[in-house]
């Protein structure tokens, strides 16, 4: 969440910065999206704070 305060990021960017598996990041971001914490922008393929 702190990373997304600065700028929207892709799943790959988030995983690289946190040293996590992209699959795990994707699962977490999808869950966060369902709860309205983040949103996914299909035009830029990035997550941002909701």
């Amino acid at each position: 969440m702190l990373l997304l305060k600065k700028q929207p990021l892709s799943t790959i960017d988030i995983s690289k910065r946190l040293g996590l598996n992209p699959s795990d990041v994707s699962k977490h971001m999808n869950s966060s999206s369902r709860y309205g914490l983040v949103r996914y922008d299909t035009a830029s393929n990035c997550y941002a704070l909701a």
Side-chain angles (χ1 to χ4, degrees):
M1 299 298 285
L2 292 175
L3 290 174
L4 297 179
K5 281 180 83 171
K6 296 179 182 179
Q7 66 185 4
L9 295 169
S10 69
T11 302
I12 297 298
D13 290 334
I14 295 168
S15 67
K16 286 180 182 177
R17 291 179 187 208
L18 297 178
L20 299 172
N21 184 322
S23 176
D24 292 334
V25 171
S26 181
K27 289 176 190 175
H28 178 73
M29 297 309 286
N30 286 330
S31 176
S32 296
S33 179
R34 282 193 300 272
Y35 287 107
L37 301 173
V38 299
R39 61 180 172 76
Y40 186 74
D41 180 25
T42 55
S44 64
N45 294 325
C46 291
Y47 285 96
L49 291 179

